[in-house]
Amino acid sequence: VDDRKLGLVFNVPYADISIRRDKLGLEGELDLIVDIASEEAVLNGAFVYDRSLQIIDLAFELSGVKPTTLAKLDPSLAELSTIDIPLAASVATSLDLSGEFGRSRFELSGGSGTIAIPSQKVPELPVQGLFLKGSYSKANEKLTLDNAAINFGTETEKGPQLSIAGSVSGLDGDMQILAGVKAVDVPLDDLSLYWPEDKAGDAREWITENIRTGMANEAVVKVVLDIPEGNFDKANLVSLKGTMKYTDLDVHYLRPL
C-alpha cells in the first residue's frame, strides 16, 4: 500500500477482501495483516451500502499496534516514542455519498507497558492497562467521552487509577467543555509523578511540598468551561467542584514549623 500523502509504503503480507451485491445494495469484509515498521498489525473491517438510503455503514478494528512503532513513521509522531503499550482500536460510523459522517463511535484499549511524557516532565511509569470509549456527532457538533481510564502499576503491584468522562459541545463555534476527573488510591508522596509540572503549578507546588504522607483514596473534580469561538485563550471557568476522601494525611501548613 503506497500512501503518497504521508510518503510511506506499507507491506501487506496477507489480504482477504470480499464484496457482495444483494437487493439492498452492497456489503463486504476485509482482513489484512499490515507490516508497520517491521511489526505486524491486524486490520479487520466490514461495510454495508444501502442503495435506497444512500448510506454506507462502516466498522473497523485494528490491533497489534504500539505507539513506539508509529513514532518511527514520521518525525511529527516522535512524542509517541515514550508510550510503550500495545493498543487495539475500533471505529463504527456511517457515511453518505456526499462524504458527511453520521454518528460515530470509537474505542481504544491498551495492555501492560510503560508511559512517559517528557514534555510534561512525567517520568516513565508502569501501566497495567488503559481503556477509552466515546462518540462523535457531526449533526450535534458534539464529542462525548463516555469513559477513559488508565490503571497504573505492574502485573504484581497495583497502582493508582485515573479516569475522565465528559463532553465537548459546539465544536464549530462557541464550545463548552464538561468534564469529570477521578483519581483512586494515589499515595500522596508519589503525587508529583502523576501531576504534570505546568498544570496548576502553584497548587501543585504547595501540595507536593506540604502533604507528603497519606493516601488519596478517591479524589473527584468536576469542571465546566466555556470556550468562545473555540479560542482557548478566551476560556471562561464556569464552575469547578471537587471532593476527596483520604486517610493518614500529614499536612504542614506552616513549614518548617
Side-chain angles (χ1 to χ4, degrees):
V1 179
D2 186 358
D3 189 328
R4 296 182 179 179
K5 185 175 182 179
L6 294 177
L8 300 172
V9 177
F10 298 96
N11 294 320
V12 182
Y14 174 83
D16 183 4
I17 302 173
S18 63
I19 300 175
R20 300 175 298 279
R21 182 167 63 180
D22 58 22
K23 293 180 180 180
L24 296 178
L26 294 173
E27 62 179 26
E29 297 89 25
L30 65 84
D31 297 290
L32 304 177
I33 295 178
V34 183
D35 187 308
I36 302 177
S38 300
E39 293 190 15
E40 290 187 345
V42 178
L43 175 64
N44 307 114
F47 79 91
V48 175
Y49 169 60
D50 189 311
R51 184 186 299 109
S52 61
L53 298 177
Q54 296 190 328
I55 295 291
I56 305 171
D57 290 319
L58 302 165
F60 292 97
E61 295 181 354
L62 179 65
S63 60
V65 177
K66 279 190 173 183
T68 49
T69 302
L70 298 177
K72 301 175 184 178
L73 300 179
D74 190 89
S76 64
L77 302 176
E79 290 191 4
L80 297 178
S81 64
T82 57
I83 304 176
D84 189 13
I85 298 173
L87 299 177
S90 64
V91 176
T93 189
S94 61
L95 183 70
D96 64 24
L97 297 186
S98 68
E100 285 288 325
F101 284 95
R103 181 177 174 84
S104 304
R105 297 201 60 82
F106 53 86
E107 292 187 11
L108 178 72
S109 60
S112 61
T114 59
I115 183 172
I117 311 176
S119 62
Q120 300 293 326
K121 297 186 179 180
V122 175
E124 184 177 283
L125 298 169
V127 173
Q128 291 182 339
L130 58 84
F131 179 76
L132 181 152
K133 181 179 180 181
S135 63
Y136 167 72
S137 173
K138 172 66 175 177
N140 296 327
E141 300 179 10
K142 187 174 184 179
L143 176 68
T144 301
L145 186 61
D146 298 324
N147 185 36
I150 180 168
N151 295 330
F152 292 97
T154 64
E155 293 183 0
T156 57
E157 185 176 356
K158 182 180 177 182
Q161 303 169 47
L162 300 179
S163 62
I164 182 171
S167 65
V168 183
S169 57
L171 292 172
D172 289 341
D174 294 332
M175 296 166 51
Q176 184 175 73
I177 298 176
L178 308 176
V181 181
K182 181 167 72 172
V184 177
D185 295 338
V186 182
L188 270 300
D189 56 351
D190 289 340
L191 183 60
S192 61
L193 300 177
Y194 304 94
W195 190 339
E197 287 192 3
D198 66 345
K199 305 302 180 184
D202 291 341
R204 179 188 186 278
E205 181 179 0
W206 192 92
I207 291 173
T208 56
E209 287 294 324
N210 294 287
I211 308 178
R212 294 187 175 181
T213 60
M215 175 75 73
N217 304 105
E218 180 181 279
V220 177
V221 176
K222 296 182 179 179
V223 62
V224 179
L225 284 172
D226 283 341
I227 317 293
E229 302 174 347
N231 186 345
F232 282 86
D233 291 334
K234 300 179 180 179
N236 176 42
L237 179 61
V238 178
S239 69
L240 177 65
K241 300 178 182 179
T243 60
M244 183 171 71
K245 299 177 182 178
Y246 55 86
T247 53
D248 301 325
L249 293 192
D250 185 7
V251 183
H252 294 269
Y253 290 102
L254 298 173
R255 185 180 291 277
L257 299 180

